[in-house]
Amino acid sequence: MREFTEQELVRREKARELRSLGIDPFGHRVDVTTNSKDLNERYGAYSKEELHEMETEEELLAGRIMTKRGKGKVGFMHIQDKYGQIQIYVRKDEVGEENYELFKKADLGDIVAIKGHIMRTDMGELTIKATHYEHLVKALRPLPEKYHGLSDVEERFRRRYVDLIMNEDARKVAFARPKIIRSIQHYLDNLGYVEVETPVLGTILGGAAARPFVTHHNTLDIDMYLRIATELPLKRLLVGGMDAVYEIGRLFRNEGMDRNHNPEFTTIEVYKAYSDLEGMMDLTEGIISNAAMTLNGTYEIDWKGHHFSLAKGYKRAHMVDLIKEQTGIDFFQDMSLEEAKALALEHGIEVEEHFGYGHIVNAFFEKYVEETIVEPTFVFGHPVEISPLAKKNAKDPRFTERFELFICGNEYANAFTELNDPIDQYERFENQLKEKELGNEEANEMDMDFVEALEYGMPPAGGMGMGIDRLVMMLTGSETIREVILFPTMKKKD
């Protein structure tokens, strides 16, 4: 059993005292009638004199004690609910001697219920003048000191519950995230899309280039993957005639962790029959601009030291043109694989064994272009080798009808004019298997059921996937992905 600190021992003794008085230290139901936000919205505009004359109705709210002071027969405290803090004024002659003694013995972090009327102090602060004070929950651990207790960033994310108590910015992000997700759902629902759910566990690796988490199903005695993408099951629904579908859900990739990556993360994937790449560009602009306006009331944003607009009308540029702007190399020119490899080596790009022409083009983009992009830009025309699920460009089959959205050097969305030719798709899967044999751990596997689905006929379609976590980071000004995931993956504590 661990040793308790002096403060923890004192708080445990106070919990025993409460029990001796017939009070449950860990509370019971209370029917809360208001909260700090509601009170500020209803009464924030009134002066001290106006509130005094109004004789406001009695309110009941509950929250955690964050500050406490007083002596003699009068005291003040701030209690915090999910919206913020509000001051409480406690007088012995108003709440009674027994309740006032409970107030005096309460600790920071305790949860209480307060009944009272609204007033404004001489200092101008909106305050509840308590008519009844009730203990609800005894906090057996003290809160950390405001500026010192959670200065260890790792501890903030390990003990998110304490971070949410002490850190107003953390609470704002926690409530902003579902608001952003709701805005996306409402936007797509109003366009006639249907939200669906697809399996998290599967037996075939596909839909993206990524290393999977592998688990084992005991009853079937087979290994299974946690999904790395939702693409293939969603496109099966287009074959089935659902026409416009989307899924917001968790994906799992057994890869590195940094400021922009967490092993489990949330994406939205959207598929629309009879659409294409251009349609997905328009849809992506709509989703992001609507989320920005819903959350912040403006399209303007300051992010990573840059100012730009998220209003519709994003720049659109071919990957090869952007590479030429930065390096002078024109990959539209006829070029052998050996010539491309030579250029790569000249420019400090490591050529892996499985690399084809398109891998080299993509490597040039990642090294010389990606981080130079600031304003929202749709980069299209990805090489066929790195786009096994996108339709080839009719004029130059080395490239595909695919785009990625980049903002401030980071990718935010990935979209295709979807490949619906089952013969071509089968050949792409076969090429992926060859890459896997040459050491590409992120290559797709052969999904014959998906090829069979395409043989029944999938409508021409556009599809788009977007990282929800990165979108939340940008719209809330958060510096790392761990700020926007309530419980991020952490290294094991020693």
Side-chain angles (χ1 to χ4, degrees):
M1 186 174 178
R2 70 179 179 88
E3 290 187 14
F4 298 121
T5 66
E6 184 178 345
Q7 277 202 56
E8 288 173 326
L9 289 170
V10 169
R11 285 170 179 249
R12 278 165 169 73
E13 180 57 35
K14 287 183 178 181
R16 284 189 285 272
E17 288 177 15
L18 287 167
R19 286 196 192 278
S20 71
L21 295 171
I23 299 171
D24 183 351
F26 303 106
H28 53 80
R29 168 179 168 167
V30 288
D31 293 319
V32 173
T33 63
T34 189
N35 56 62
S36 59
K37 179 184 177 184
D38 174 55
L39 293 176
N40 276 290
E41 288 177 349
R42 282 196 283 147
Y43 299 111
Y46 293 106
S47 68
K48 176 184 176 182
E49 292 73 24
E50 287 171 329
L51 287 173
H52 181 71
E53 292 174 6
M54 286 170 67
E55 295 185 359
T56 59
E57 61 186 87
E58 198 171 52
E59 306 277 5
L60 174 66
L61 79 165
R64 188 183 298 275
I65 302 173
M66 300 303 291
T67 70
K68 182 170 170 276
R69 70 187 191 279
K71 58 182 179 179
K73 300 177 180 181
V74 174
F76 286 90
M77 63 180 176
H78 284 87
I79 67 171
Q80 179 172 286
D81 58 20
K82 71 176 183 177
Y83 295 109
Q85 296 186 14
I86 192 163
Q87 182 167 259
I88 312 296
Y89 173 48
V90 187
R91 289 178 59 97
K92 184 176 182 179
D93 59 2
E94 285 282 352
V95 301
E97 188 170 341
E98 289 183 7
N99 279 338
Y100 193 72
E101 283 302 308
L102 291 177
F103 162 73
K104 284 173 63 178
K105 290 186 176 182
D107 292 306
L108 299 188
D110 288 358
I111 299 173
V112 298
I114 300 295
K115 191 179 286 186
H117 299 278
I118 310 304
M119 57 172 277
R120 198 177 288 279
T121 63
D122 292 337
M123 299 297 291
E125 186 170 355
L126 199 67
T127 301
I128 296 178
K129 183 179 181 181
T131 57
H132 181 71
Y133 173 97
E134 185 173 1
H135 168 86
L136 289 180
V137 175
K138 186 71 201 169
L140 299 183
R141 283 180 182 253
L143 294 174
E145 293 178 44
K146 189 168 185 179
Y147 297 106
H148 307 292
L150 281 183
S151 57
D152 181 347
V153 174
E154 295 287 313
E155 279 303 295
R156 282 187 53 219
F157 303 133
R158 279 197 184 90
R159 295 192 290 155
R160 179 67 86 183
Y161 43 91
V162 183
D163 188 34
L164 291 170
I165 294 170
M166 303 303 296
N167 185 347
E168 185 178 356
D169 289 338
R171 289 196 301 278
K172 285 181 179 177
V173 172
F175 288 114
R177 182 185 178 105
K179 191 173 183 180
I180 292 167
I181 291 172
R182 295 293 177 276
S183 79
I184 296 171
Q185 290 169 318
H186 292 156
Y187 185 81
L188 291 171
D189 292 348
N190 289 336
L191 290 175
Y193 286 78
V194 177
E195 186 172 12
V196 298
E197 293 176 300
T198 62
V200 171
L201 290 171
T203 56
I204 295 174
L205 189 64
R211 292 176 62 184
F213 286 94
V214 183
T215 187
H216 188 78
H217 192 294
N218 291 332
T219 301
L220 296 177
D221 193 25
I222 56 171
D223 284 342
M224 301 187 80
Y225 300 115
L226 293 180
R227 67 186 180 189
I228 60 171
T230 52
E231 176 163 350
L232 299 185
L234 287 173
K235 289 202 285 194
R236 286 173 168 90
L237 299 179
L238 295 189
V239 174
M242 292 191 75
D243 278 10
V245 294
Y246 72 95
E247 180 171 10
I248 298 174
R250 286 291 178 97
L251 302 183
F252 306 86
R253 297 184 181 179
N254 197 354
E255 299 172 344
M257 294 163 54
D258 58 29
R259 299 175 74 84
N260 293 310
H261 296 88
N262 193 68
E264 57 175 310
F265 58 100
T266 303
T267 67
I268 178 169
E269 289 199 33
V270 185
Y271 294 88
K272 179 74 168 68
Y274 313 112
S275 188
D276 64 1
L277 197 68
E278 296 285 332
M280 290 299 106
M281 288 181 180
D282 295 340
L283 185 72
T284 305
E285 287 180 347
I287 288 172
I288 293 176
S289 61
N290 179 66
M293 183 59 70
T294 300
L295 184 69
N296 297 324
T298 179
Y299 299 122
E300 301 301 308
I301 192 163
D302 293 292
W303 178 231
K304 294 187 175 182
H306 302 285
H307 180 85
F308 51 89
S309 173
L310 293 174
K312 294 179 180 180
Y314 300 170
K315 180 180 176 181
R316 305 179 181 195
H318 197 290
M319 178 183 281
V320 169
D321 290 329
L322 293 174
I323 294 170
K324 187 177 180 180
E325 286 177 17
Q326 295 296 326
T327 67
I329 298 171
D330 185 0
F331 281 103
F332 280 133
Q333 300 295 321
D334 287 333
M335 190 182 302
S336 70
L337 178 57
E338 292 308 313
E339 288 171 328
K341 284 182 178 180
L343 283 171
L345 293 173
E346 286 174 23
H347 288 79
I349 291 172
E350 183 180 348
V351 179
E352 297 182 35
E353 189 174 353
H354 68 273
F355 270 23
Y357 180 80
H359 294 102
I360 293 170
V361 174
N362 187 58
F364 266 90
F365 174 79
E366 289 180 348
K367 181 167 183 175
Y368 291 103
V369 180
E370 202 168 291
E371 291 186 356
T372 70
I373 298 172
V374 174
E375 65 177 292
T377 302
F378 291 118
V379 178
F380 63 90
H382 292 61
V384 69
E385 290 94 333
I386 64 164
S387 310
L389 298 163
K391 186 168 273 191
K392 290 176 184 175
N393 183 280
K395 295 179 180 177
D396 190 339
R398 294 176 298 173
F399 303 99
T400 61
E401 297 294 319
R402 174 185 176 187
F403 76 70
E404 290 177 298
L405 172 64
F406 285 90
I407 306 172
C408 290
N410 291 126
E411 177 205 338
Y412 283 83
N414 186 18
F416 309 147
T417 297
E418 298 298 334
L419 176 60
N420 63 343
D421 177 343
I423 299 169
D424 189 356
Q425 182 65 79
Y426 181 83
E427 291 172 354
R428 305 272 194 101
F429 280 148
E430 281 197 319
N431 289 333
Q432 289 284 294
L433 292 177
K434 291 174 185 175
E435 284 192 25
K436 210 173 191 68
E437 290 173 4
L438 290 171
N440 184 0
E441 294 180 340
E442 297 184 349
N444 284 202
E445 296 180 349
M446 176 65 75
D447 189 337
M448 280 306 301
D449 181 76
F450 180 66
V451 174
E452 183 178 315
L454 294 183
E455 288 174 348
Y456 282 95
M458 186 182 93
M464 184 275 291
M466 181 189 301
I468 296 294
D469 308 297
R470 291 188 186 180
L471 179 63
V472 175
M473 284 172 64
M474 179 172 62
L475 295 181
T476 61
S478 301
E479 293 298 321
T480 83
I481 196 169
R482 293 189 297 179
E483 295 279 5
V484 303
I485 297 174
L486 284 173
F487 299 101
T489 305
M490 304 293 294
K491 293 178 183 176
K492 191 173 182 180
K493 197 173 182 181
D494 292 336

